[in-house]
Amino acid sequence: MSGSAKQLQFKLVLLGESAVGKSSLVLRFVKDQFDDYRESTIGAAFLTQTVKLDDQTTVKFEIWDTAGQERYKSLAPMYYRNAHCAVVVYDVTQPQSLEKAKSWIKELQRQADPNIVIALAGNKVDLAATRRGVPKEDAQRYAEEEKLLFLETSAKDSSNVSELFTMIARKLPLEQ
Ligand code: GDP
């Protein structure tokens, strides 16, 4: 095999209001599963998954989920310290969840590594046809202003989930 093949590893953290679908996005990405009745407080410390960018390059994500801690207290900065990338999730049916996402993004911009790659994910887009509460353009405009990656996703029907992680992988410093 090629001696120049690279596998680089990056720490990725999930942030966002409780019940927006953070764990569900991880479950979809890592195991290609979805569970309507998931017990959201049960979260593994971290999971890993790889994304192949090309024949030479594989990105391995070490994914840290909050395991529901965001419900009880603000998360310790230790959680996102040393993170190379963050997915900040809101629920497209819940406008206040976008406000919460914005406050997490501010905190990351103040306290995380200045080179962190941040993606904003508007999850539950499968419900948007009947229950949309956040116009896509509003979130997209905010993401552009803040120089964030942005996609609307559905952990339920898989929309844009692998695309989200691939988009992040392409923004990471692969010459480390
Ligand atoms: P977390 O607290 O942010 O980790 O959220 P969970 O992953 O536990 O999800 C909260 C609830 O939303 C669960 O009942 C999930 O089944 C549901 N859910 C998560 N993602 C989606 C999605 O993309 N579409 C729909 N319709 N429901 C979702």
Side-chain angles (χ1 to χ4, degrees):
M1 283 299 292
S2 160
S4 62
K6 282 191 287 195
Q7 197 196 65
L8 301 165
Q9 190 163 319
F10 297 94
K11 177 179 176 183
L12 181 148
V13 294
L14 274 288
L15 290 166
E17 193 168 74
S18 184
V20 293
K22 299 181 295 299
S23 301
S24 298
L25 283 169
V26 175
L27 188 65
R28 174 61 76 194
F29 177 54
V30 174
K31 301 202 174 136
D32 199 14
Q33 292 171 5
F34 180 79
D35 182 355
D36 268 311
Y37 304 102
R38 229 185 50 78
E39 180 52 70
S40 65
T41 51
I42 301 171
F46 74 85
L47 294 164
T48 60
Q49 178 62 296
T50 54
V51 170
K52 188 174 175 183
L53 289 182
D54 57 44
D55 286 346
Q56 305 298 321
T57 318
T58 304
V59 166
K60 183 174 186 181
F61 288 112
E62 185 183 285
I63 304 169
W64 292 72
D65 192 4
T66 62
Q69 290 174 74
E70 76 283 3
R71 289 185 196 183
Y72 308 109
K73 53 175 195 247
S74 62
L75 282 168
M78 201 179 78
Y79 173 71
Y80 54 76
R81 199 171 291 148
N82 305 327
H84 302 95
C85 37
V87 178
V88 183
V89 185
Y90 70 95
D91 173 342
V92 298
T93 73
Q94 302 287 337
Q96 91 290 345
S97 72
L98 178 59
E99 296 312 309
K100 182 72 195 168
K102 289 179 179 178
S103 74
W104 277 118
I105 287 160
K106 279 208 190 83
E107 182 164 339
L108 289 172
Q109 289 169 335
R110 272 201 307 266
Q111 312 230 44
D113 183 315
N115 295 318
I116 191 169
V117 175
I118 305 174
L120 177 66
N123 192 42
K124 309 198 188 183
V125 70
D126 58 289
L127 301 175
T130 52
R131 292 174 44 197
R132 181 183 285 279
V134 179
K136 183 177 180 182
E137 308 71 52
D138 290 5
Q140 198 152 29
R141 191 178 326 110
Y142 164 75
E144 277 165 22
E145 283 164 9
E146 299 296 328
K147 301 189 168 42
L148 314 171
L149 300 171
F150 171 71
L151 276 179
E152 290 190 331
T153 60
S154 169
K156 184 164 185 167
D157 72 11
S158 290
S159 300
N160 275 342
V161 177
S162 60
E163 288 82 353
L164 175 71
F165 289 91
T166 302
M167 189 165 77
I168 294 166
R170 291 194 187 287
K171 284 281 178 184
L172 288 165
L174 298 179
E175 302 301 326
Q176 62 178 4

